[in-house]
């Protein structure tokens, strides 16, 4: 396989996962994170079975699951008490369940995995534009060129 230079913009759950998977495949991965330190944002997530499969593939599901709360059923009600969703994970398969996980737990596990895979994480570097695989940050510094640029910096992505 040809080794490519890859940039990932954003080091949240999606960015850290993408960076780890690409580095595991042998690519040279650089992550650009605008925050000055690697810290999770938000309280927690409900990790669905599909996300658990990804963490299992990455080898960190057991670690994350030990620090999570198992969710067997989700019931949502309207403001008048009418049930609008009643989801029992077991209805989809014997071992299916959700995992309620603190974002810090998930972020720490994914971040450590990415670093172990050799990902170069650059904090306090906000990317504001890109052209032909070259990224420009808020200070006007240019980074690249990269064969692939992955935008994982949220809905306000440049």
């Amino acid at each position: 396989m040809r080794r490519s230079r890859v940039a990932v913009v954003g080091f949240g759950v999606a960015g850290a996962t993408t960076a780890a998977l690409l580095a595991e495949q042998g690519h040279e991965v650089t992550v650009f994170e605008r925050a000055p330190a690697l810290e999770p944002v938000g309280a927690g997530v409900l990790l669905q079975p599909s996300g658990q499969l990804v963490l299992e593939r990455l080898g960190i599901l057991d670690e994350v699951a030990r620090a999570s709360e198992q969710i067997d059923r989700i019931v949502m009600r309207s403001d008048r008490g009418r049930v609008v969703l009643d989801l029992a994970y077991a209805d989809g398969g014997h071992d299916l369940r959700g995992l309620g996980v603190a974002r810090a737990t998930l972020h720490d596990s994914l971040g450590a995995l990415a670093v172990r895979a050799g990902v170069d994480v650059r904090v306090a570097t906000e990317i504001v534009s890109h052209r032909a695989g070259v990224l420009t940050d808020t200070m006007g510094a240019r980074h690249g060129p990269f064969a692939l640029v992955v935008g994982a910096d949220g809905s306000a992505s440049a």
Side-chain angles (χ1 to χ4, degrees):
M1 176 188 7
R2 187 172 152 247
R3 182 176 166 95
S4 298
R5 290 188 72 210
V6 178
V8 176
V9 181
F11 201 61
V13 171
T17 302
T18 301
L21 286 167
L22 288 166
E24 180 185 85
Q25 293 177 1
H27 299 289
E28 180 184 337
V29 181
T30 304
V31 174
F32 298 92
E33 171 55 50
R34 70 177 167 199
L38 298 178
E39 297 175 340
V41 176
V45 296
L46 178 57
L47 189 60
Q48 299 297 337
S50 57
Q52 293 172 48
L53 287 173
V54 174
L55 296 186
E56 183 175 50
R57 157 83 169 65
L58 291 168
I60 61 171
L61 177 59
D62 290 342
E63 171 187 337
V64 171
R66 280 191 299 275
S68 301
E69 186 68 33
Q70 181 176 313
I71 307 295
D72 295 314
R73 180 180 215 103
I74 299 172
V75 178
M76 293 174 49
R77 298 181 185 277
S78 71
D79 59 348
R80 296 176 192 222
R82 184 175 63 88
V83 174
V84 294
L85 173 72
D86 187 348
L87 171 71
Y89 284 97
D91 290 347
H94 174 63
D95 289 331
L96 293 181
R97 65 187 50 84
L99 290 176
V101 58
R103 194 171 292 266
T105 298
L106 186 56
H107 191 267
D108 289 350
S109 294
L110 288 167
L113 177 68
V115 170
R116 283 193 308 270
V119 173
D120 176 15
V121 181
R122 300 180 187 181
V123 296
T125 308
E126 183 175 0
I127 301 301
V128 294
S129 68
H130 67 89
R131 181 176 173 89
V134 177
L135 307 175
T136 305
D137 66 27
T138 53
M139 303 301 289
R142 303 181 100 179
H143 309 273
F146 296 97
L148 173 67
V149 175
V150 178
D153 54 339
S155 60
S157 175

